[in-house]
Amino acid sequence: MLGRVTAKDNIKFDGLSRVSHVTDATDWRVEMPFVVLTPDSEAEMAALVAGCIELGLTIIPRGGGTGYTPAAPCR
């Protein structure tokens, strides 16, 4: 489903992607995300959000990962 919206390389289930997006500099590792989505453009976002909702996934947006405020990807 999400593969129809963005490139398959932008849908990441591998351990390294998931672990690196659990937290930021605070190191508050609370829960491992199920999937990390890295869209190529802002235009893909609405369809990815709709797809996550349809799949029953909780969405937690994460910016560039440069701050100290905790954040994580879709779970």
Side-chain angles (χ1 to χ4, degrees), residues 2-72:
L2 298 175
R4 290 181 271 173
V5 177
T6 190
K8 291 185 186 207
D9 290 343
N10 297 342
I11 304 169
K12 302 174 184 198
F13 293 98
D14 65 283
L16 180 59
S17 294
R18 293 170 58 215
V19 165
S20 65
H21 285 82
V22 168
T23 189
D24 51 21
T26 61
D27 199 29
W28 292 357
R29 297 180 193 274
V30 178
E31 187 175 333
M32 180 76 73
F34 174 69
V35 62
V36 175
L37 302 174
T38 57
D40 289 319
S41 69
E42 187 176 325
E44 295 177 352
M45 289 304 300
L48 285 173
V49 168
C52 286
I53 291 169
E54 189 173 330
L55 292 169
L57 298 173
T58 300
I59 302 165
I60 301 176
R62 184 174 193 264
T66 58
Y68 287 92
T69 304

